[in-house]
Coordinates of all heavy atoms in Angstrom, one line a residue:
M146 N 0.8 -1.2 0.0 CA 0.0 0.0 0.0 C 0.9 1.2 0.0 O 1.8 1.4 0.8 CB -0.9 0.0 1.2 CG -1.9 -1.2 1.2 SD -2.9 -1.3 2.7 CE -4.0 0.0 2.4
K147 N 0.6 2.1 -0.9 CA 1.4 3.3 -1.1 C 1.5 4.2 0.2 O 2.6 4.7 0.5 CB 0.8 4.1 -2.2 CG 1.7 5.2 -2.6 CD 1.2 5.9 -3.9 CE 2.1 7.1 -4.3 NZ 1.7 7.7 -5.5
E148 N 0.4 4.3 1.0 CA 0.5 5.2 2.1 C 1.4 4.6 3.3 O 1.7 5.4 4.2 CB -0.9 5.5 2.7 CG -1.6 4.3 3.3 CD -2.6 3.6 2.3 OE1 -2.5 3.7 1.1 OE2 -3.5 2.9 2.9
H149 N 1.7 3.4 3.2 CA 2.6 2.7 4.2 C 4.0 2.6 3.8 O 4.9 2.0 4.5 CB 2.0 1.4 4.7 CG 0.6 1.5 5.2 ND1 0.2 2.3 6.2 CD2 -0.5 0.9 4.8 CE1 -1.0 2.2 6.4 NE2 -1.6 1.4 5.6
R150 N 4.3 3.0 2.5 CA 5.6 2.7 2.0 C 6.8 3.4 2.8 O 7.8 2.8 2.9 CB 5.7 3.2 0.5 CG 7.0 2.9 -0.2 CD 7.1 1.4 -0.3 NE 8.5 1.0 -0.5 CZ 9.2 0.0 0.0 NH1 8.5 -0.9 0.7 NH2 10.4 -0.2 -0.3
D151 N 6.6 4.6 3.3 CA 7.6 5.2 4.1 C 8.0 4.4 5.4 O 9.1 4.2 5.7 CB 7.2 6.6 4.5 CG 7.2 7.6 3.4 OD1 7.8 7.3 2.3 OD2 6.6 8.6 3.5
I152 N 7.0 3.8 6.0 CA 7.2 3.0 7.2 C 7.9 1.7 6.8 O 8.8 1.3 7.5 CB 5.9 2.7 8.0 CG1 5.3 4.0 8.5 CG2 6.1 1.7 9.1 CD1 3.9 3.9 9.1
I153 N 7.5 1.1 5.8 CA 8.1 -0.1 5.3 C 9.6 0.1 4.9 O 10.5 -0.6 5.3 CB 7.3 -0.7 4.1 CG1 6.0 -1.2 4.6 CG2 8.1 -1.9 3.5 CD1 5.0 -1.5 3.5
A154 N 9.8 1.3 4.2 CA 11.2 1.6 3.8 C 12.0 1.9 5.1 O 13.2 1.4 5.1 CB 11.2 2.8 2.9
A155 N 11.5 2.5 6.1 CA 12.2 2.8 7.3 C 12.6 1.4 8.0 O 13.7 1.2 8.6 CB 11.5 3.7 8.2
Y156 N 11.6 0.5 8.0 CA 11.8 -0.8 8.6 C 12.9 -1.6 7.8 O 13.8 -2.1 8.5 CB 10.5 -1.6 8.5 CG 10.6 -3.1 8.9 CD1 10.9 -3.4 10.3 CD2 10.6 -4.1 8.0 CE1 11.0 -4.7 10.6 CE2 10.7 -5.4 8.4 CZ 10.9 -5.7 9.7 OH 11.0 -7.0 10.1
E157 N 12.9 -1.5 6.5 CA 13.9 -2.2 5.7 C 15.3 -1.6 6.0 O 16.3 -2.3 6.1 CB 13.5 -2.2 4.2 CG 12.3 -3.0 3.9 CD 11.8 -2.8 2.5 OE1 12.1 -1.8 1.9 OE2 11.1 -3.7 2.0
D158 N 15.3 -0.3 6.1 CA 16.6 0.4 6.4 C 17.1 0.0 7.8 O 18.3 -0.2 7.9 CB 16.5 1.9 6.3 CG 16.2 2.4 4.8 OD1 16.5 1.6 3.9 OD2 15.8 3.6 4.7
L159 N 16.2 0.0 8.7 CA 16.6 -0.4 10.1 C 17.2 -1.8 10.1 O 18.2 -2.0 10.7 CB 15.4 -0.3 11.0 CG 15.6 -0.7 12.5 CD1 16.5 0.3 13.1 CD2 14.2 -0.7 13.2
C160 N 16.6 -2.7 9.4 CA 17.1 -4.1 9.4 C 18.4 -4.1 8.7 O 19.4 -4.8 9.2 CB 16.1 -5.0 8.6 SG 14.5 -5.2 9.5
A161 N 18.6 -3.4 7.6 CA 19.9 -3.3 6.9 C 21.0 -2.7 7.8 O 22.1 -3.2 7.8 CB 19.7 -2.5 5.6
D162 N 20.6 -1.7 8.6 CA 21.6 -1.1 9.5 C 22.1 -2.1 10.5 O 23.2 -2.0 11.0 CB 20.9 0.1 10.3 CG 20.7 1.3 9.4 OD1 21.2 1.3 8.2 OD2 19.9 2.2 9.8
H163 N 21.3 -3.1 10.9 CA 21.7 -4.1 11.8 C 22.1 -5.4 11.2 O 22.4 -6.4 11.8 CB 20.5 -4.4 12.8 CG 20.3 -3.3 13.8 ND1 20.9 -3.2 15.0 CD2 19.5 -2.2 13.7 CE1 20.5 -2.1 15.6 NE2 19.6 -1.5 14.8
A164 N 22.2 -5.3 9.8 CA 22.6 -6.5 9.0 C 21.8 -7.7 9.3 O 22.3 -8.9 9.4 CB 24.1 -6.8 9.3
L165 N 20.5 -7.5 9.4 CA 19.5 -8.6 9.7 C 18.5 -8.6 8.6 O 18.1 -7.6 8.0 CB 18.8 -8.3 11.0 CG 19.7 -8.4 12.2 CD1 19.0 -7.9 13.5 CD2 20.2 -9.8 12.5
D166 N 18.0 -9.8 8.3 CA 16.9 -10.0 7.3 C 15.6 -9.5 7.8 O 15.2 -9.8 9.0 CB 16.8 -11.5 7.0 CG 15.7 -11.8 6.0 OD1 15.9 -11.5 4.8 OD2 14.7 -12.4 6.4
P167 N 14.8 -8.7 7.1 CA 13.6 -8.2 7.5 C 12.6 -9.3 8.0 O 11.9 -9.1 9.0 CB 13.0 -7.4 6.3 CG 14.2 -7.0 5.6 CD 15.2 -8.1 5.8
A168 N 12.5 -10.4 7.3 CA 11.6 -11.5 7.7 C 12.0 -12.1 9.1 O 11.2 -12.3 9.9 CB 11.6 -12.6 6.7
Q169 N 13.3 -12.2 9.3 CA 13.8 -12.7 10.6 C 13.5 -11.8 11.7 O 13.1 -12.1 12.8 CB 15.3 -13.1 10.5 CG 15.5 -14.3 9.7 CD 17.0 -14.7 9.6 OE1 17.8 -13.9 9.8 NE2 17.2 -15.9 9.3
V170 N 13.7 -10.5 11.4 CA 13.5 -9.5 12.4 C 12.0 -9.5 12.8 O 11.6 -9.4 13.9 CB 13.9 -8.1 11.9 CG1 13.4 -7.0 12.9 CG2 15.4 -8.0 11.8
G171 N 11.1 -9.6 11.8 CA 9.7 -9.6 12.0 C 9.3 -10.7 12.9 O 8.5 -10.6 13.9
T172 N 9.9 -11.9 12.6 CA 9.6 -13.1 13.5 C 10.1 -12.9 14.9 O 9.4 -13.2 15.9 CB 10.1 -14.4 12.8 OG1 9.6 -14.5 11.5 CG2 9.8 -15.6 13.6
A173 N 11.4 -12.5 15.0 CA 12.0 -12.3 16.3 C 11.3 -11.3 17.1 O 11.0 -11.4 18.3 CB 13.5 -12.0 16.1
W174 N 10.9 -10.2 16.5 CA 10.2 -9.1 17.2 C 8.8 -9.6 17.6 O 8.4 -9.3 18.8 CB 10.0 -7.9 16.3 CG 9.4 -6.7 16.9 CD1 9.7 -6.1 18.1 CD2 8.3 -6.0 16.4 NE1 8.9 -5.0 18.3 CE2 8.0 -4.9 17.3 CE3 7.5 -6.1 15.3 CZ2 7.0 -4.0 17.2 CZ3 6.4 -5.2 15.1 CH2 6.2 -4.2 16.0
T175 N 8.1 -10.3 16.8 CA 6.8 -10.8 17.2 C 6.9 -11.7 18.4 O 6.1 -11.6 19.3 CB 6.1 -11.6 16.0 OG1 6.0 -10.7 14.9 CG2 4.8 -12.1 16.4
L176 N 7.9 -12.5 18.4 CA 8.1 -13.4 19.5 C 8.5 -12.7 20.8 O 8.4 -13.2 21.9 CB 9.1 -14.5 19.1 CG 8.6 -15.6 18.1 CD1 9.7 -16.4 17.6 CD2 7.5 -16.4 18.7
S177 N 9.1 -11.5 20.6 CA 9.6 -10.8 21.8 C 8.4 -10.0 22.5 O 8.6 -9.5 23.6 CB 10.7 -9.8 21.4 OG 10.1 -8.6 20.8
R178 N 7.3 -10.0 21.8 CA 6.1 -9.2 22.4 C 5.5 -9.9 23.6 O 5.4 -11.1 23.6 CB 5.0 -9.0 21.3 CG 5.5 -8.4 20.0 CD 6.4 -7.2 20.1 NE 5.7 -6.1 20.8 CZ 6.4 -5.1 21.3 NH1 7.7 -5.0 21.3 NH2 5.7 -4.2 22.0
P179 N 5.1 -9.1 24.6 CA 4.5 -9.7 25.8 C 3.2 -10.5 25.4 O 2.4 -10.0 24.6 CB 4.2 -8.5 26.6 CG 5.0 -7.4 26.1 CD 5.3 -7.7 24.7
G180 N 3.1 -11.6 25.9 CA 1.9 -12.4 25.7 C 2.0 -13.3 24.5 O 1.1 -14.1 24.3
V181 N 2.9 -13.1 23.6 CA 3.0 -13.9 22.4 C 3.8 -15.2 22.7 O 4.9 -15.1 23.2 CB 3.7 -13.1 21.2 CG1 3.9 -14.0 20.0 CG2 2.9 -11.9 20.9
T182 N 3.2 -16.3 22.4 CA 3.9 -17.6 22.7 C 4.2 -18.3 21.4 O 4.9 -19.3 21.5 CB 3.0 -18.5 23.6 OG1 1.7 -18.7 22.9 CG2 2.7 -17.8 24.9
G183 N 3.8 -17.8 20.3 CA 4.2 -18.5 19.0 C 3.8 -17.6 17.9 O 3.1 -16.6 18.0
T184 N 4.3 -17.9 16.7 CA 4.0 -17.2 15.5 C 3.8 -18.1 14.3 O 4.4 -19.2 14.3 CB 5.1 -16.1 15.2 OG1 4.7 -15.4 14.1 CG2 6.4 -16.8 14.9
V185 N 3.0 -17.8 13.4 CA 2.8 -18.6 12.2 C 3.8 -18.1 11.1 O 3.9 -16.9 10.8 CB 1.3 -18.4 11.6 CG1 1.2 -19.2 10.3 CG2 0.3 -18.8 12.7
I186 N 4.6 -19.1 10.6 CA 5.7 -18.7 9.7 C 5.4 -19.0 8.2 O 5.9 -18.4 7.4 CB 7.0 -19.3 10.1 CG1 6.9 -20.8 10.2 CG2 7.5 -18.6 11.4 CD1 8.3 -21.5 10.4
G187 N 4.6 -20.0 8.0 CA 4.2 -20.4 6.6 C 5.4 -20.7 5.7 O 5.4 -20.1 4.6
P188 N 6.3 -21.5 6.1 CA 7.4 -21.8 5.2 C 7.1 -22.6 4.0 O 6.2 -23.4 4.0 CB 8.4 -22.6 6.1 CG 7.4 -23.3 7.0 CD 6.3 -22.4 7.3
R189 N 7.7 -22.2 2.9 CA 7.6 -23.0 1.6 C 8.8 -23.8 1.3 O 8.8 -24.7 0.5 CB 7.3 -22.0 0.5 CG 5.9 -21.4 0.5 CD 5.7 -20.5 -0.7 NE 6.9 -19.7 -1.1 CZ 6.9 -18.4 -1.2 NH1 5.8 -17.7 -1.0 NH2 8.0 -17.8 -1.4
T190 N 9.9 -23.4 1.9 CA 11.2 -24.1 1.7 C 11.9 -24.4 3.0 O 11.6 -23.9 4.0 CB 12.1 -23.2 0.8 OG1 12.5 -22.1 1.6 CG2 11.5 -22.7 -0.5
E191 N 12.9 -25.2 2.9 CA 13.8 -25.5 4.0 C 14.5 -24.3 4.5 O 14.7 -24.1 5.7 CB 14.8 -26.6 3.6 CG 15.6 -27.1 4.8 CD 16.5 -28.2 4.4 OE1 16.2 -29.0 3.4 OE2 17.6 -28.4 5.1
Q192 N 14.8 -23.4 3.6 CA 15.5 -22.2 4.0 C 14.6 -21.3 4.8 O 15.0 -20.6 5.7 CB 16.0 -21.4 2.7 CG 17.2 -22.0 2.0 CD 16.7 -23.2 1.1 OE1 15.5 -23.4 0.8 NE2 17.7 -24.0 0.7
H193 N 13.3 -21.3 4.5 CA 12.4 -20.5 5.3 C 12.3 -21.1 6.7 O 12.2 -20.3 7.7 CB 11.0 -20.6 4.7 CG 10.8 -19.8 3.4 ND1 9.8 -20.1 2.5 CD2 11.6 -18.9 2.8 CE1 9.9 -19.3 1.5 NE2 11.0 -18.6 1.6
I194 N 12.3 -22.4 6.9 CA 12.3 -23.0 8.2 C 13.6 -22.6 9.0 O 13.5 -22.2 10.1 CB 12.1 -24.5 8.1 CG1 10.7 -24.8 7.6 CG2 12.3 -25.1 9.5 CD1 10.5 -26.3 7.2
D195 N 14.7 -22.7 8.3 CA 16.0 -22.3 8.9 C 16.0 -20.9 9.3 O 16.5 -20.6 10.4 CB 17.2 -22.6 7.9 CG 17.4 -24.1 7.7 OD1 17.0 -24.9 8.5 OD2 18.1 -24.4 6.7
A196 N 15.5 -20.0 8.5 CA 15.4 -18.6 8.8 C 14.5 -18.3 10.1 O 14.9 -17.5 10.9 CB 14.9 -17.8 7.7
A197 N 13.4 -19.0 10.2 CA 12.5 -18.9 11.3 C 13.2 -19.4 12.6 O 13.1 -18.8 13.6 CB 11.2 -19.6 11.1
L198 N 13.9 -20.5 12.5 CA 14.7 -21.0 13.6 C 15.8 -20.1 14.0 O 16.0 -19.8 15.2 CB 15.3 -22.4 13.3 CG 14.2 -23.5 13.1 CD1 14.9 -24.8 12.6 CD2 13.5 -23.8 14.5
D199 N 16.5 -19.5 13.1 CA 17.5 -18.4 13.4 C 16.8 -17.3 14.1 O 17.4 -16.7 15.0 CB 18.2 -18.0 12.1 CG 19.2 -19.0 11.6 OD1 19.6 -19.9 12.3 OD2 19.6 -18.8 10.4
A200 N 15.7 -16.9 13.7 CA 15.0 -15.7 14.3 C 14.7 -16.0 15.8 O 14.8 -15.2 16.6 CB 13.7 -15.4 13.6
M201 N 14.4 -17.3 16.1 CA 14.1 -17.7 17.4 C 15.3 -17.6 18.3 O 15.3 -17.4 19.5 CB 13.5 -19.1 17.5 CG 12.1 -19.1 16.9 SD 11.4 -20.8 16.7 CE 11.8 -21.5 18.3
R202 N 16.5 -17.8 17.7 CA 17.8 -17.9 18.4 C 18.5 -16.6 18.5 O 19.5 -16.4 19.1 CB 18.7 -18.9 17.7 CG 18.2 -20.3 17.7 CD 19.3 -21.2 17.1 NE 18.7 -22.4 16.6 CZ 18.6 -22.8 15.4 NH1 19.0 -22.1 14.4 NH2 18.0 -23.9 15.1
T203 N 18.0 -15.6 17.7 CA 18.7 -14.3 17.6 C 17.9 -13.2 18.5 O 16.9 -12.7 18.1 CB 18.7 -13.8 16.2 OG1 19.3 -14.8 15.4 CG2 19.5 -12.5 16.0
P204 N 18.5 -12.9 19.6 CA 17.9 -11.8 20.4 C 18.1 -10.5 19.7 O 19.2 -10.2 19.2 CB 18.6 -11.9 21.8 CG 19.9 -12.6 21.5 CD 19.7 -13.5 20.3
L205 N 17.1 -9.7 19.7 CA 17.2 -8.4 19.1 C 17.8 -7.3 20.1 O 17.3 -7.3 21.2 CB 15.9 -7.9 18.5 CG 15.3 -8.8 17.5 CD1 13.9 -8.3 17.1 CD2 16.1 -8.9 16.2
P206 N 18.7 -6.4 19.6 CA 19.2 -5.4 20.5 C 18.1 -4.5 21.0 O 17.1 -4.2 20.3 CB 20.2 -4.6 19.7 CG 20.4 -5.5 18.4 CD 19.3 -6.4 18.3
Q207 N 18.2 -4.0 22.2 CA 17.2 -3.1 22.8 C 17.0 -1.8 21.9 O 15.8 -1.4 21.8 CB 17.6 -2.6 24.2 CG 17.4 -3.8 25.2 CD 16.0 -4.3 25.3 OE1 15.0 -3.5 25.3 NE2 15.8 -5.6 25.3
T208 N 18.0 -1.3 21.3 CA 17.9 -0.2 20.4 C 17.0 -0.5 19.2 O 16.2 0.3 18.8 CB 19.2 0.3 19.9 OG1 19.9 -0.7 19.3 CG2 20.1 0.9 21.0
L209 N 17.1 -1.7 18.7 CA 16.3 -2.1 17.5 C 14.9 -2.3 18.0 O 13.9 -1.8 17.3 CB 16.8 -3.4 17.0 CG 16.1 -4.0 15.8 CD1 15.9 -3.1 14.6 CD2 16.7 -5.3 15.4
L210 N 14.7 -2.9 19.1 CA 13.3 -3.1 19.7 C 12.6 -1.8 19.9 O 11.4 -1.6 19.6 CB 13.3 -3.9 21.0 CG 13.7 -5.4 20.8 CD1 14.0 -6.0 22.2 CD2 12.7 -6.2 20.0
A211 N 13.3 -0.8 20.4 CA 12.7 0.5 20.7 C 12.3 1.2 19.4 O 11.3 1.8 19.3 CB 13.7 1.4 21.5
R212 N 13.2 1.1 18.4 CA 12.8 1.7 17.1 C 11.6 1.0 16.4 O 10.8 1.7 15.8 CB 14.1 1.7 16.2 CG 13.8 2.3 14.8 CD 13.6 3.8 15.0 NE 13.4 4.4 13.6 CZ 12.3 5.1 13.3 NH1 11.4 5.4 14.1 NH2 12.2 5.5 12.0
L213 N 11.6 -0.3 16.6 CA 10.4 -1.0 16.1 C 9.1 -0.6 16.7 O 8.1 -0.5 16.1 CB 10.6 -2.6 16.2 CG 11.7 -3.2 15.3 CD1 12.0 -4.6 15.7 CD2 11.3 -3.1 13.9
D214 N 9.2 -0.3 18.0 CA 8.0 0.2 18.7 C 7.6 1.5 18.3 O 6.4 1.9 18.3 CB 8.3 0.2 20.3 CG 8.2 -1.2 20.9 OD1 7.5 -2.1 20.3 OD2 8.7 -1.4 22.0
E215 N 8.6 2.3 17.8 CA 8.3 3.7 17.3 C 7.6 3.5 15.9 O 6.6 4.2 15.6 CB 9.5 4.5 17.1 CG 10.1 4.9 18.4 CD 11.5 5.6 18.3 OE1 11.9 5.9 17.1 OE2 12.1 5.9 19.3
L216 N 8.1 2.6 15.1 CA 7.6 2.4 13.7 C 6.2 1.8 13.8 O 5.3 2.1 13.0 CB 8.5 1.6 12.9 CG 9.8 2.2 12.5 CD1 10.7 1.2 11.8 CD2 9.5 3.4 11.5
F217 N 6.1 0.8 14.7 CA 4.8 0.0 14.8 C 4.3 0.0 16.3 O 4.5 -0.9 17.0 CB 5.1 -1.4 14.3 CG 5.7 -1.5 13.0 CD1 7.0 -1.8 12.9 CD2 4.9 -1.3 11.8 CE1 7.6 -1.9 11.6 CE2 5.5 -1.4 10.6 CZ 6.9 -1.7 10.5
P218 N 3.7 1.2 16.7 CA 3.3 1.3 18.1 C 2.3 0.2 18.5 O 1.5 -0.2 17.7 CB 2.8 2.7 18.2 CG 2.6 3.2 16.8 CD 3.3 2.3 15.9
P219 N 2.4 -0.2 19.8 CA 1.4 -1.2 20.3 C 0.0 -0.6 20.3 O -0.1 0.7 20.3 CB 1.9 -1.4 21.7 CG 3.3 -0.9 21.8 CD 3.4 0.1 20.8
V220 N -1.0 -1.4 20.3 CA -2.3 -1.0 20.4 C -2.5 -0.1 21.6 O -2.0 -0.3 22.7 CB -3.3 -2.2 20.5 CG1 -4.7 -1.8 20.8 CG2 -3.2 -3.1 19.3
G221 N -3.2 1.0 21.3 CA -3.4 2.0 22.4 C -2.4 3.2 22.3 O -2.7 4.3 22.8
R222 N -1.3 3.0 21.6 CA -0.4 4.1 21.4 C -0.4 4.6 19.9 O 0.2 5.6 19.6 CB 1.0 3.7 21.8 CG 1.2 3.6 23.3 CD 2.6 3.6 23.8 NE 3.6 3.5 22.8 CZ 4.7 2.8 22.9 NH1 4.8 1.9 23.8 NH2 5.6 2.8 21.9
G223 N -1.0 3.9 19.1 CA -0.9 4.3 17.7 C -2.3 4.2 17.0 O -2.4 4.5 15.8
G224 N -3.3 3.9 17.8 CA -4.6 3.8 17.2 C -5.2 2.5 17.5 O -4.6 1.6 18.0
P225 N -6.5 2.3 17.2 CA -7.1 1.0 17.4 C -6.6 -0.1 16.5 O -6.2 0.2 15.4 CB -8.6 1.3 17.1 CG -8.6 2.5 16.2 CD -7.4 3.3 16.5
A226 N -6.6 -1.3 16.9 CA -6.2 -2.4 16.1 C -7.1 -2.5 14.9 O -8.3 -2.2 15.0 CB -6.2 -3.7 16.9
P227 N -6.7 -2.9 13.8 CA -5.3 -3.3 13.4 C -4.5 -2.1 13.0 O -3.3 -2.2 12.7 CB -5.5 -4.3 12.3 CG -6.7 -3.7 11.6 CD -7.6 -3.2 12.7
D228 N -5.0 -0.9 12.9 CA -4.3 0.2 12.4 C -3.2 0.7 13.3 O -2.4 1.5 13.0 CB -5.3 1.4 12.1 CG -6.2 1.1 11.0 OD1 -5.8 0.3 10.1 OD2 -7.3 1.7 10.9
A229 N -3.2 0.2 14.6 CA -2.1 0.6 15.5 C -0.7 0.4 15.0 O 0.2 1.1 15.2 CB -2.3 -0.1 16.8
W230 N -0.6 -0.6 14.1 CA 0.7 -1.0 13.6 C 1.0 -0.3 12.3 O 2.2 -0.4 11.8 CB 0.8 -2.5 13.5 CG 0.8 -3.1 14.8 CD1 1.8 -3.2 15.7 CD2 -0.4 -3.7 15.4 NE1 1.3 -3.9 16.8 CE2 0.0 -4.2 16.7 CE3 -1.7 -3.9 15.0 CZ2 -0.9 -4.8 17.6 CZ3 -2.6 -4.6 15.9 CH2 -2.1 -5.0 17.1
L231 N 0.1 0.4 11.8 CA 0.3 1.1 10.5 C 0.1 2.6 10.5 O 0.3 3.2 9.5 CB -0.6 0.4 9.4 CG -0.4 -1.1 9.2 CD1 -1.4 -1.6 8.3 CD2 1.0 -1.3 8.7
S232 N -0.3 3.1 11.6 CA -0.5 4.6 11.6 C 0.4 5.3 12.5 O 1.3 4.8 13.1 CB -2.0 4.8 12.1 OG -2.2 4.3 13.4

């Protein structure tokens, strides 16, 4: 969606700054959220499974987590769900 392109570009730049794959960061960040006990990964290849396992083993730096919270604020800080993560 065109209106979200700036946020997506900032996310991709943030991942690149940390030399991390955006898909792995997304999985690791999701798993770091309070109350989240699992995530759906939908792998199509063995590499997708390996990447998801790597995401589970890779703790994200606090600076990265803080920036992700700025880009995608939790519900209540960025608007009602599901727009909280896109507005």
Side-chain angles (χ1 to χ4, degrees):
M146 296 175 76
K147 189 174 181 177
E148 69 261 23
H149 303 302
R150 186 64 200 143
D151 290 342
I152 293 172
I153 294 168
Y156 173 71
E157 291 170 341
D158 291 344
L159 179 64
C160 294
D162 290 346
H163 288 271
L165 295 168
D166 177 72
Q169 288 179 338
V170 170
T172 301
W174 182 54
T175 300
L176 290 170
S177 77
R178 308 311 303 160
V181 174
T182 59
T184 184
V185 177
I186 57 170
R189 290 185 315 239
T190 67
E191 186 176 333
Q192 290 80 15
H193 291 161
I194 294 170
D195 290 340
L198 291 172
D199 285 343
M201 292 173 46
R202 295 184 202 114
T203 305
L205 300 176
Q207 287 300 316
T208 55
L209 177 59
L210 292 170
R212 182 66 180 124
L213 289 169
D214 282 341
E215 291 172 6
L216 290 172
F217 307 103
V220 173
R222 289 196 354 225
D228 293 336
W230 294 280
L231 300 174
S232 58

